[in-house]
Amino acid sequence: MAVLDDLSGFEFEDVMEDVFRNLGYENVRQADRTADEGRDVLMEEVVDGTRRAIIVECKHTGTVGRPVVQKLHSAIATFDFDGPKRGMVVTTGRFTNPAQEYADRLQQNDDPHPIELLDGEDLREIADEIGLDLYNGRIEILCDETLRPYDPAAEVDAAVAEAFRDIENIEAADLPEPHSSVRFRPVVAVTADTNALFETSVGVIHRINDRTRFVAHAERGQPQVVDEDVATLVTENLHATVVLDSEQLGEIFDEVEERRFGQTQTGYKEWTVERLQQHHTTTVTYTGDNNVTYNKTCEPNLSDISVQSIEPVFLPEVRQMTEIQEYTYPYEYYAAGPSRVTAEDGIHQCVYCDTSGVDETYTYCPNCGAIACSTHIKTERLEGEPICTGCAVTERFALKTKYFYDGQNLEAFREEYADMPLHEKTMENKWLAGGSVVATLLLVVGLLVIGGII
């Protein structure tokens, strides 16, 4: 397997750690490199409800002989694990006949510590299965699974229709079909364990025993951890993924975009370990034997952090644009079937001010298509329908501003107002109509002045 020859022995162990994790083994981690005692990678599997330890010896060499297999057999026997144990030797090269015969004999004799041998040919088959990049020994992200980009039991624009239900003066059934696009963003759900113990002459001063699970955007550039709501959306729906079929989805969405994963699994693993090392580093204050107070920075070693799983999946980011007369309303969300997390809501937002959020009241203006808050929505005087302050034609009647759809409506009301009895004109300003006699007299005088009588 010459394409892996440029890797060091330690780099080959890194690769195999990723390989076993991708094959579904649990609690995969590397042994202490200072004294591995024939144990390079440690992991576990569950067979028929029984958890079993697997001790792996990695040999980045051309030929592996019987002594290596014998040494591993002894290492398995002395490995501290409360349960059955077996071994595995992995090489980029080949096994000698005596090595193969020794492993076969363990199997035939039902030895309590059998050993499996994987040579270069076996690794080639594994490479095809999990996407091992043979040119640099890294595990590439090969993923065709995505969270569902829409609810299969509803229309693709169901989320937009639901958002518009809160808007007054417009029915969801009257909405035009929005332009819909979906961008499949690669993310990884990472699970990692941190176990570290910090001691001084006075004993243990700090202990870390933590399992961390988070989701990160996995596009090109530095990975970015998603917020809590999006992480929950991903982790709670990992069991319900579907195959990403761009051609099929192109019949449902107007635009389909698929982003690529920006790093190898090894890259995400290294980033995770460094991130958790920084996260768990803390300064501890303790009192020494001499009653003197000390401060000690407790930073876990890289070997204290074990990445248990890196689960890649595509996260659909749906964007739907609804055009109504003069305005376009964007609605963007991360989707997982009927569940979603809103990223941008241009529907619950006044077009004239910063008012936004689903807790406010918004009204649709049929005159121009604006959605506005209560401050920027008035009642059209002639027809009694809502109109926004941005498109209304205004004029003062009875010292109060009235709002109209257009000049034609204004002119029609002028004629109507001119024919009104005085007491009805007064009612055009309820404050004046319900106020003092003085206010009413002022109104009358004002009307007489306007009419040219005095």
Side-chain angles (χ1 to χ4, degrees), residues 74 332 454:
S74 298
E332 187 172 296
I454 59 174

Side-chain angles (χ1 to χ4, degrees), residues 165-437:
R165 289 194 187 103
D166 295 338
I167 308 303
E168 297 185 358
N169 200 43
I170 188 171
E171 297 294 333
D174 298 331
L175 293 171
E177 183 177 343
H179 177 277
S180 61
S181 61
V182 58
R183 176 170 55 186
F184 291 94
R185 301 190 61 177
V187 298
V188 288
V190 181
T191 302
D193 290 338
T194 305
N195 294 285
L197 195 67
F198 303 90
E199 296 180 275
T200 68
S201 60
V202 300
V204 176
I205 62 170
H206 185 56
R207 187 192 305 268
I208 303 172
N209 185 7
D210 178 72
R211 167 157 286 193
T212 304
R213 191 172 194 190
F214 60 89
V215 177
H217 286 299
E219 299 168 45
R220 296 183 62 182
Q222 184 76 358
Q224 299 292 328
V225 177
V226 305
D227 62 37
E228 185 176 349
D229 290 341
V230 178
T232 300
L233 182 76
V234 173
T235 56
E236 290 187 352
N237 291 278
L238 280 174
H239 66 286
T241 59
V242 295
V243 175
L244 200 171
D245 187 336
S246 297
E247 183 175 346
Q248 180 185 21
L249 291 168
E251 300 176 0
I252 299 173
F253 292 91
D254 298 313
E255 295 179 23
V256 178
E257 178 186 355
E258 180 180 343
R259 297 285 181 90
R260 295 185 61 181
F261 284 85
Q263 294 190 36
T264 62
Q265 282 210 8
T266 301
Y268 292 119
K269 185 192 74 174
E270 293 171 348
W271 170 77
T272 296
V273 171
E274 293 176 0
R275 178 178 179 271
L276 290 179
Q277 184 183 43
Q278 296 174 3
H279 173 73
H280 287 296
T281 297
T282 186
T283 300
V284 175
T285 301
Y286 69 97
T287 302
D289 293 329
N290 55 0
N291 289 327
V292 175
T293 299
Y294 297 93
N295 292 323
K296 179 178 176 60
T297 298
C298 298
E299 179 182 22
N301 297 318
L302 297 181
S303 59
D304 295 330
I305 303 169
S306 174
V307 178
Q308 298 299 310
S309 65
I310 299 176
E311 301 174 85
V313 71
F314 284 100
L315 172 63
E317 185 177 37
V318 180
R319 185 172 181 84
Q320 296 180 308
M321 309 287 288
T322 306
E323 296 185 2
I324 309 178
Q325 297 190 58
E326 301 175 17
Y327 296 89
T328 300
Y329 298 101
Y331 190 65
E332 187 172 296
Y333 55 92
Y334 295 107
S339 302
R340 62 181 179 272
V341 174
T342 303
E344 179 186 1
D345 184 357
I347 298 172
H348 295 91
Q349 181 174 336
C350 179
V351 300
Y352 299 112
C353 68
D354 295 333
T355 301
S356 61
V358 295
D359 294 332
E360 301 290 335
T361 299
Y362 304 92
T363 304
Y364 170 72
C365 173
N367 194 51
C368 67
I371 293 176
C373 66
S374 56
T375 302
H376 293 94
I377 282 288
K378 303 296 180 180
T379 300
E380 209 271 357
R381 178 57 187 88
L382 188 67
E383 299 184 15
E385 297 293 331
I387 185 171
C388 68
T389 57
C391 75
V393 175
T394 63
E395 188 167 309
R396 293 178 68 83
F397 293 87
L399 306 181
K400 184 175 178 62
T401 301
K402 303 294 180 179
Y403 298 84
F404 303 90
Y405 281 143
D406 50 31
Q408 184 176 352
N409 276 30
L410 170 59
E411 184 59 35
F413 183 73
R414 282 176 180 162
E415 295 177 1
E416 181 180 309
Y417 184 80
D419 294 336
M420 287 181 183
L422 184 59
H423 69 279
E424 290 187 12
K425 291 181 178 180
T426 305
M427 293 299 297
E428 290 301 319
N429 189 331
K430 294 183 179 179
W431 180 84
L432 290 176
S436 63
V437 175

